[in-house]
Tab-separated table of all heavy atoms in Angstrom:
chain	number	residue	atom	x	y	z
A	13	LEU	N	119.169	15.258	-117.577
A	13	LEU	CA	120.347	15.916	-116.756
A	13	LEU	C	119.962	15.626	-115.207
A	13	LEU	O	120.614	15.282	-114.381
A	13	LEU	CB	120.483	17.242	-116.963
A	13	LEU	CG	121.072	17.584	-118.395
A	13	LEU	CD1	121.251	19.106	-118.450
A	13	LEU	CD2	122.441	16.938	-118.501
A	14	TYR	N	118.543	15.962	-114.925
A	14	TYR	CA	118.144	15.761	-113.549
A	14	TYR	C	116.706	15.670	-113.399
A	14	TYR	O	115.990	15.727	-114.499
A	14	TYR	CB	118.676	17.036	-112.724
A	14	TYR	CG	118.017	18.367	-113.246
A	14	TYR	CD1	116.901	18.792	-112.499
A	14	TYR	CD2	118.463	18.915	-114.372
A	14	TYR	CE1	116.354	20.134	-112.988
A	14	TYR	CE2	117.785	20.180	-114.804
A	14	TYR	CZ	116.698	20.682	-114.085
A	14	TYR	OH	116.128	21.798	-114.476
A	40	LEU	N	122.241	32.053	-108.983
A	40	LEU	CA	122.573	30.755	-109.762
A	40	LEU	C	123.115	29.751	-108.785
A	40	LEU	O	123.454	28.624	-109.290
A	40	LEU	CB	123.298	30.954	-110.867
A	40	LEU	CG	122.936	32.050	-111.868
A	40	LEU	CD1	123.903	32.156	-113.081
A	40	LEU	CD2	121.519	31.778	-112.439
A	67	ASP	N	112.074	24.703	-112.590
A	67	ASP	CA	113.395	24.369	-112.018
A	67	ASP	C	114.472	24.737	-113.098
A	67	ASP	O	114.286	24.877	-114.265
A	67	ASP	CB	113.552	22.748	-111.884
A	67	ASP	CG	112.808	22.316	-110.641
A	67	ASP	OD1	112.688	22.998	-109.662
A	67	ASP	OD2	112.477	21.126	-110.661
A	68	TYR	N	115.681	24.824	-112.602
A	68	TYR	CA	116.876	24.887	-113.444
A	68	TYR	C	118.030	24.475	-112.542
A	68	TYR	O	117.964	24.545	-111.326
A	68	TYR	CB	117.144	26.164	-114.112
A	68	TYR	CG	117.431	27.459	-113.137
A	68	TYR	CD1	118.636	27.642	-112.588
A	68	TYR	CD2	116.451	28.351	-112.809
A	68	TYR	CE1	118.836	28.777	-111.681
A	68	TYR	CE2	116.592	29.394	-111.998
A	68	TYR	CZ	117.888	29.725	-111.428
A	68	TYR	OH	118.092	30.707	-110.550
A	69	PRO	N	119.037	23.822	-113.204
A	69	PRO	CA	120.205	23.291	-112.408
A	69	PRO	C	121.135	24.464	-111.819
A	69	PRO	O	121.321	25.406	-112.451
A	69	PRO	CB	120.944	22.409	-113.411
A	69	PRO	CG	120.691	23.075	-114.646
A	69	PRO	CD	119.256	23.508	-114.589
A	70	LEU	N	121.661	24.136	-110.620
A	70	LEU	CA	122.366	25.219	-109.858
A	70	LEU	C	123.918	25.076	-110.204
A	70	LEU	O	124.357	23.928	-110.326
A	70	LEU	CB	122.081	25.331	-108.435
A	70	LEU	CG	120.554	25.637	-108.151
A	70	LEU	CD1	120.485	25.375	-106.548
A	70	LEU	CD2	120.261	26.964	-108.433
A	71	ALA	N	124.579	26.119	-110.216
A	71	ALA	CA	126.079	26.168	-110.053
A	71	ALA	C	126.402	25.829	-108.543
A	71	ALA	O	125.578	26.017	-107.745
A	71	ALA	CB	126.588	27.571	-110.463
A	74	ALA	N	126.447	22.827	-112.244
A	74	ALA	CA	126.178	23.359	-113.596
A	74	ALA	C	126.839	24.726	-113.864
A	74	ALA	O	126.653	25.524	-113.105
A	74	ALA	CB	124.711	23.426	-113.723
A	78	THR	N	125.197	25.202	-119.453
A	78	THR	CA	124.211	24.132	-119.030
A	78	THR	C	122.960	24.742	-118.467
A	78	THR	O	121.800	24.328	-118.794
A	78	THR	CB	124.793	23.108	-118.012
A	78	THR	OG1	125.908	22.550	-118.555
A	78	THR	CG2	123.795	22.137	-117.557
A	79	ILE	N	123.103	25.783	-117.618
A	79	ILE	CA	121.942	26.432	-117.029
A	79	ILE	C	121.110	27.169	-118.057
A	79	ILE	O	119.877	26.855	-118.064
A	79	ILE	CB	122.390	27.448	-115.995
A	79	ILE	CG1	123.111	26.719	-114.889
A	79	ILE	CG2	121.180	28.135	-115.395
A	79	ILE	CD1	123.820	27.598	-113.829
A	82	ASP	N	119.210	24.788	-120.255
A	82	ASP	CA	118.098	24.187	-119.600
A	82	ASP	C	116.894	25.293	-119.497
A	82	ASP	O	115.718	24.909	-119.770
A	82	ASP	CB	118.367	23.808	-118.140
A	82	ASP	CG	117.331	23.101	-117.373
A	82	ASP	OD1	117.231	21.907	-117.806
A	82	ASP	OD2	116.635	23.672	-116.531
A	83	VAL	N	117.204	26.519	-119.362
A	83	VAL	CA	116.255	27.503	-119.293
A	83	VAL	C	115.461	27.700	-120.670
A	83	VAL	O	114.350	27.775	-120.787
A	83	VAL	CB	116.766	28.945	-118.805
A	83	VAL	CG1	115.889	30.009	-119.102
A	83	VAL	CG2	117.105	28.831	-117.379
A	171	LEU	N	123.859	17.344	-110.418
A	171	LEU	CA	123.051	18.552	-110.610
A	171	LEU	C	122.002	18.572	-109.660
A	171	LEU	O	121.245	17.644	-109.471
A	171	LEU	CB	122.582	18.605	-112.016
A	171	LEU	CG	123.584	18.575	-113.291
A	171	LEU	CD1	122.929	18.784	-114.640
A	171	LEU	CD2	124.577	19.729	-112.931
A	172	GLN	N	121.743	19.772	-109.155
A	172	GLN	CA	120.742	20.091	-108.164
A	172	GLN	C	119.758	21.161	-108.673
A	172	GLN	O	120.259	22.209	-108.977
A	172	GLN	CB	121.263	20.391	-106.803
A	172	GLN	CG	122.361	19.494	-106.314
A	172	GLN	CD	121.770	18.253	-105.689
A	172	GLN	OE1	120.488	18.172	-105.329
A	172	GLN	NE2	122.550	17.146	-105.860
A	173	PRO	N	118.337	20.891	-108.623
A	173	PRO	CA	117.440	21.960	-108.979
A	173	PRO	C	117.102	22.919	-108.037
A	173	PRO	O	116.384	23.890	-108.226
A	173	PRO	CB	116.307	21.204	-109.561
A	173	PRO	CG	116.289	20.031	-108.767
A	173	PRO	CD	117.798	19.647	-108.361
Side-chain angles (χ1 to χ4, degrees):
L13 299 178
Y14 67 102
L40 307 177
D67 283 334
Y68 60 83
L70 299 177
T78 300
I79 297 171
D82 188 78
V83 167
L171 298 186
Q172 306 289 331

